[in-house]
Amino acid sequence: MPTRADITHFGAGPAALPTEVLEKAAQALLDYNGTGLGIAEHSHRSEHAANIINTAKADLASYLDIPDDYEILFLQGGGTGQFSAVVYNLVGAWVTRQKAQILKDLGVADEKDADQDKLTEELRKAVQEKLKLDYIVTGGWSDKAHKEAIRLLGPEYVNLVSDARASNDGKFGKIADESTWNLSKDPAFVYYCDNETVDGVEFPKFPEALAPSADGTGPIVVADMSSNILSRRIPIKNFSLIFFGAQKNLGCPGITIAILKKSLLPPTTSQPSPTLLRKLGLPIGPIVLSYEIAAKNNSLYNTLSIFDVYIAGQVLQRLMRVFPDKVDGQEAVAKKKAELIYGALEANSDVYRIVPDKSVRSTMNICFRVTKGDNPDESEKAFLKGASALGLTGLKGHRSVGGIRASNYNSIPLEGAQKLADFIESFAKAA
């Protein structure tokens, strides 16, 4: 039987975790800091839990250089839950902004002095005429988020800015030129997925079409960074909301993190009342998905898995020990690993085909097909079998697209990437 040291796991998620983190966590499950109780047994309301949360928040802010005017939330429901949470919370914030503008236009300083029927009517008119949610669809996950917005609000409120399939023969693998994007005027938000795990597509940089102007104003930009967070530097201030599941680069399944501008929270922005939302015909979100409630309770409105937060905190502390220059150091290693793997594939283009366009190749999820031989499907099975025999596991592509996928997350050591590159070379020679 293989040992842990024999395996390099390239699975797309849950991803491998550093062995030293797991060893420490195993001890903490039995006895956390000499308390006689395991970490999973301590109350989420305890001082131990608060310290774990606050330390993890501080370390994440330090590693990514998150400014003080952003809140960090630990949530549940995964990235899929955030497809809904984004709609509920940011549509609510949009309604609050519209209400403030209407009161100003009516010359009313205090909402209590307004004609409530008139105010509601003007808000209803604003919703019908102005409300738009913008989605840039570049892969399976942004496609699902887009469909969820339509399910919750209806297609009349959701604008498809760009669908990458339209310029790539009906398949994902490219990002359409920004000059072709159909952005709304003052949308409630613009949504995109920074890295698509299924299709191996990653935005090479922050989209220029969404960049803030010189005075700092610009669209409210939301990004799903579940699969490339902590792997490269992010222009945090360009975003109003970033969310990511922990199970790729930060920890294990069970928690989702949101980095949110505090200006979208009280006292600057309060969510509309359920009564007002009903009058406007807008959906009311579950309280467990409320950013306002989560922030007010330091992510502890309901029972949070403190063990999962602890794992994430230990991963962050290890990253900062290994990389004194923080995320910049990890980014350099991630690029080097990706270059090794892509280089081996490109050197054997008669055997392999890299799926996405070169301009948008993901550093994290390297998707390719084996094209050599009379039966490529059998060739891919042989590739997977040969890789597994060498301890290179988790390489099977997503069930919706097939092929091979090497997920080059932070836990993959440089030696593991080199081992895969060597196997790519040797398999090609034998093909």
Side-chain angles (χ1 to χ4, degrees):
M1 296 292 289
T3 67
R4 185 175 182 84
D6 297 326
I7 299 297
T8 304
H9 184 60
F10 290 92
L17 284 163
T19 299
E20 64 186 88
V21 168
L22 291 177
E23 288 173 342
K24 188 171 182 180
Q27 179 57 43
L29 270 175
L30 290 173
D31 185 346
Y32 178 66
N33 283 3
T35 61
L37 282 177
I39 191 170
E41 299 165 303
H42 280 284
S43 168
H44 62 295
R45 307 288 184 196
S46 68
E47 183 179 351
H48 297 294
N51 288 339
I52 288 168
I53 290 173
N54 292 334
T55 300
K57 287 169 65 172
D59 288 343
L60 181 60
S62 174
Y63 184 76
L64 290 178
D65 290 325
I66 300 172
D68 291 338
D69 57 342
Y70 284 75
E71 181 63 68
I72 298 172
L73 305 174
F74 291 97
L75 307 165
Q76 297 171 71
T80 302
Q82 290 307 298
F83 298 165
S84 306
V86 167
V87 174
Y88 292 131
N89 287 276
L90 297 192
V91 167
W94 181 89
V95 169
T96 297
R97 293 196 300 276
Q98 293 296 315
K99 183 169 68 172
Q101 184 60 52
I102 291 169
L103 289 170
K104 183 179 178 181
D105 293 343
L106 294 173
V108 179
D110 192 321
E111 183 182 346
K112 291 182 293 185
D113 299 328
D115 180 327
Q116 296 301 311
D117 290 339
K118 175 68 173 176
L119 177 59
T120 301
E121 183 57 35
E122 290 297 316
L123 273 172
R124 189 179 292 114
K125 183 179 178 181
V127 168
Q128 293 171 352
E129 296 180 357
K130 298 180 182 179
L131 177 59
K132 287 294 179 185
L133 283 56
D134 277 11
Y135 282 78
I136 302 166
V137 175
T138 55
W141 295 113
S142 52
D143 187 41
K144 287 185 176 181
H146 173 245
K147 288 175 178 174
E148 176 66 356
I150 291 173
R151 189 184 73 86
L152 293 175
L153 285 182
E156 65 271 27
Y157 296 121
V158 182
N159 174 47
L160 181 58
V161 173
S162 175
D163 187 332
R165 291 169 291 194
S167 59
N168 195 43
D169 297 325
K171 296 180 180 180
F172 292 121
K174 291 184 178 180
I175 297 175
D177 190 276
E178 293 182 27
S179 64
T180 68
W181 290 5
N182 177 35
L183 291 161
S184 300
K185 181 182 179 182
D186 193 26
F189 59 81
V190 183
Y191 183 111
Y192 75 96
C193 180
D194 204 43
N195 182 72
E196 294 278 7
T197 58
V198 174
D199 309 286
V201 171
E202 184 174 26
F203 278 79
K205 61 180 181 178
F206 185 83
E208 292 181 9
L210 306 182
S213 57
D215 62 2
T217 60
I220 291 176
V221 180
V222 176
D224 176 354
M225 294 191 179
S226 292
S227 52
N228 65 349
I229 195 69
L230 309 185
S231 71
R232 66 177 184 175
R233 181 161 291 281
I234 305 165
I236 300 286
K237 282 190 167 293
N238 288 359
F239 298 94
S240 293
L241 171 64
I242 297 166
F243 71 83
F244 46 96
Q247 67 272 17
K248 314 287 190 181
N249 275 334
L250 183 59
C252 49
I255 53 169
T256 305
I257 296 84
I259 302 170
L260 176 71
K261 266 190 178 177
K262 289 180 179 178
S263 60
L264 292 170
L265 297 168
T268 307
T269 302
S270 294
Q271 288 290 305
S273 70
T275 299
L276 177 57
L277 290 172
R278 288 190 192 97
K279 289 179 179 179
L280 298 177
L282 294 173
I284 300 164
I287 200 165
V288 74
L289 295 181
S290 168
Y291 299 146
E292 184 176 315
I293 294 296
K296 190 181 296 183
N297 291 275
N298 194 28
S299 301
L300 291 171
Y301 177 74
N302 63 325
T303 306
L304 183 68
S305 175
I306 299 302
F307 177 69
D308 294 332
V309 180
Y310 172 81
I311 290 281
Q314 292 303 307
V315 169
L316 284 164
Q317 289 182 23
R318 179 183 177 276
L319 282 171
M320 290 193 289
R321 288 195 302 271
V322 174
F323 300 108
D325 51 352
K326 299 186 288 192
V327 71
D328 295 320
Q330 178 63 79
E331 181 172 9
V333 173
K335 286 181 177 178
K336 189 171 183 179
K337 291 187 296 175
E339 287 168 0
L340 284 171
I341 299 170
Y342 279 122
L345 293 169
E346 288 179 326
N348 297 279
S349 58
D350 59 326
V351 178
Y352 307 105
R353 177 178 62 84
I354 300 171
V355 174
D357 188 77
K358 190 170 185 177
S359 63
V360 295
R361 286 179 186 171
S362 171
T363 301
M364 292 288 100
N365 304 101
I366 300 167
C367 297
F368 60 97
R369 305 302 301 251
V370 180
T371 57
K372 188 81 169 182
D374 297 331
N375 190 332
D377 287 342
E378 290 302 317
S379 296
E380 287 182 346
K381 289 178 182 177
F383 181 96
L384 292 170
K385 184 176 180 181
S388 182
L390 294 175
L392 303 169
T393 64
L395 287 165
K396 188 174 182 179
H398 191 270
R399 63 187 180 279
S400 64
V401 294
I404 313 293
R405 174 175 55 175
S407 293
N408 179 38
Y409 297 137
N410 290 350
S411 61
I412 300 295
L414 187 60
E415 298 78 15
Q418 183 64 67
K419 188 176 180 181
L420 176 58
D422 291 343
F423 175 69
I424 288 170
E425 293 275 5
S426 64
F427 184 85
K429 287 183 174 62

